[in-house]
Amino acid sequence: MTIPKLVPSQFETYDPTEPPPPFGHELKKYVPLDEDYVNLNPGSWGTVPLPVLFAATRLGYEIERNPDKIYRQAFLPLIYKARESVAKLICAQTDEVVFAPNATHALNTVLRAFEWREGDLLIGATTLYGAVANTIRYLADRSEHPRPEAHLVEYTFPLTHLQILDIFRAKLRAVKELYADRQFTDVPPLSPGYSEDPADKKNKIVAVFDSITAQPGWLMPWQEMVAVCREEGVWSVVDAAHSIGQEPDINVGEAKPDFWVSDCHKWLYAKRGCAALYVPKRNQYIIKSSIPTSHNYVPRGCLKERGKCTHFVMQHAWTGTPDHTSYATVPDALAFREWLGGEKAINGYCHQLALSGGKRLAEILGTRLMDQTGKHTLNMPNIQLPLPVESIRGELYEPDMIPEINVYLRDKLLDEWKTYVVHYFHAGAWWCRCSPQVFNELSDFEYLGAALIVVCREIKERFVFRSA
């Protein structure tokens, strides 16, 4: 069979020596979206530029032409280059970064790697991504022992960074006071009182928190929260799914989280699914196995001989026969971003459009922005929807109404209006979270506003509220 020679079409390639089109609708020709679809939700799944998608397709053909040659000779150098590019972007060492299919997978790798003891505490938050929150619940619910006890930090937005830090610190201290009879001496290597002697390690506390919450889209003071964990002797696990490609000037080497995870397909333009898992060398002994367990797993007996070396990088390089073309597209994504003007230019445009677009949408809907100051918004503004607001949970909305309204919003926006944003219920009100990209303009927010006015009016007519 003759293998077709792939030739990129006009917008599946670009000349890096030529200037790119201006940000806005001129760039839509470089993304594979339906012409009639107004996408203001790239933050959920990402939108892969055509040149990056073509690079993935071309690599797929190369793999199929000679799988042995690619997987046995070329595969590791490709992935090394991709890891190197991510490490440089977040100010980490290359061998502290590996890939996983998504942030949820990577977080499971971390949380399931801890050797839990009876009396250990695992602290989440009410705003965690659903699957991550359920991972915490599962680890606390499972029948086999030992298992950690789960606790939640409650956040009701809007909140300032100072308020978030106060709530977070107070929760860590409260659980330690609640279990004053326990010795929380299994602390991270950078915390006061750390000891390598296993006899000194009793119980531990692990805290999972966001860098940017998903619902609402709210920038958290995650670097300061890491510092609080370090001071309190708590292991920090940062769900930074929305950070890379949206949050500027990430420096994990300076912030020093114990574990940090971010999706590369949401904002960085890599092909989905692709997530970066950062584990500093001081903590790699915790990750004894990848998920699934790799050929490069180091048995417990060998660990003692190798001085805690778990082959962290090699374990995650090969976890069975994969399709790692998404991981290999990270350098292509970064090259495309560089052609567009680089991280500063991309985030500058998206940030300003998020602020101006969010304000315009609130004006159209006759409502308000959750973040009135703009200090806690990167590229995801949260706008209240024109639906009834309750002051007490259950005052207006029957228990089954919230999921039903969510489905109604989803179907109407997608099927009739050919647009979409994340919509959610928080603090008694309905909100939407927009996540504009470089191919969006202010007029997209105006179109969305027209759609939401009609759909919200239909909801008020269709659903029976307890009182109004």
Side-chain angles (χ1 to χ4, degrees), residues 11 43 115 156 160 174 263 276 363 434:
F11 300 114
E115 294 190 356
T156 301
T160 66
D263 280 321
E363 290 171 353
C434 304

Side-chain angles (χ1 to χ4, degrees), residues 52-247:
V52 178
L53 194 58
F54 178 82
T57 303
R58 181 174 54 199
L59 177 58
Y61 268 91
E62 290 177 7
I63 292 171
E64 297 309 321
R65 289 173 61 189
N66 194 329
D68 280 294
K69 186 172 183 62
I70 295 297
Y71 284 129
R72 296 181 187 279
Q73 294 180 331
F75 176 74
L76 288 180
L78 281 173
I79 301 304
Y80 179 88
K81 182 181 177 182
R83 290 193 300 108
E84 185 179 45
S85 62
V86 171
K88 182 179 179 181
L89 189 62
I90 65 174
C91 298
Q93 297 179 43
T94 301
D95 284 350
E96 294 177 322
V97 176
V98 295
F99 290 116
N102 50 63
T104 302
H105 185 115
L107 285 161
N108 269 263
T109 298
V110 173
L111 296 178
R112 293 168 190 258
F114 278 105
E115 294 190 356
W116 298 105
R117 297 185 178 190
E118 292 299 324
D120 287 348
L121 305 181
L122 181 52
I123 300 177
T126 53
T127 49
L128 284 178
Y129 182 64
V132 177
N134 280 337
T135 299
I136 292 174
R137 293 189 186 101
Y138 164 73
L139 290 172
D141 287 347
R142 60 185 182 168
S143 58
E144 61 266 32
H145 293 269
R147 59 192 180 194
E149 299 171 32
H151 291 263
L152 286 178
V153 184
E154 293 190 15
Y155 298 116
T156 301
F157 293 95
L159 292 169
T160 66
H161 280 185
L162 183 59
Q163 290 171 324
I164 292 168
L165 288 170
D166 286 345
I167 294 169
F168 183 65
R169 184 184 290 107
K171 183 66 176 184
L172 297 185
R173 292 179 177 177
V175 294
K176 285 198 280 188
E177 184 177 344
L178 181 64
Y179 302 103
D181 58 326
R182 300 179 189 177
Q183 299 179 56
F184 294 108
T185 55
D186 186 351
V187 301
L190 298 182
S191 289
Y194 172 75
S195 172
E196 290 195 0
D197 187 348
D200 294 333
K201 298 178 186 291
K202 304 300 182 183
N203 284 126
K204 61 181 161 289
I205 303 175
V206 178
V208 185
F209 51 91
D210 295 297
S211 62
I212 305 168
T213 57
Q215 295 180 21
W218 200 267
L219 176 63
M220 301 287 277
W222 67 269
Q223 297 93 334
E224 291 87 349
M225 295 170 79
V226 167
V228 169
C229 285
R230 190 159 53 245
E231 294 163 6
E232 297 290 334
V234 173
W235 295 84
S236 58
V237 181
V238 184
D239 181 354
H242 280 278
S243 279
I244 195 165
Q246 177 181 192
E247 182 179 350

Side-chain angles (χ1 to χ4, degrees), residues 296-327:
N296 290 292
Y297 170 72
V298 181
R300 183 180 294 272
C302 297
L303 269 179
K304 295 179 181 178
E305 298 174 9
R306 298 184 184 184
K308 291 188 176 181
C309 175
T310 62
H311 278 181
F312 171 70
V313 171
M314 289 304 297
Q315 282 206 64
H316 289 84
W318 190 266
T319 54
T321 304
D323 178 6
H324 280 349
T325 54
S326 56
Y327 303 168

Side-chain angles (χ1 to χ4, degrees), residues 128 149 155 192 203 206 241 252 277 280 284 294 341 351 366 393 434 444 449 452:
L128 284 178
E149 299 171 32
Y155 298 116
N203 284 126
V206 178
V252 293
L277 166 59
Q284 289 181 6
S294 164
H351 177 64
R393 188 62 184 263
C434 304
D444 295 331
L452 286 171

Side-chain angles (χ1 to χ4, degrees), residues 25 37 68 124 466:
H25 289 170
Y37 183 55
D68 280 294
R466 281 179 169 170

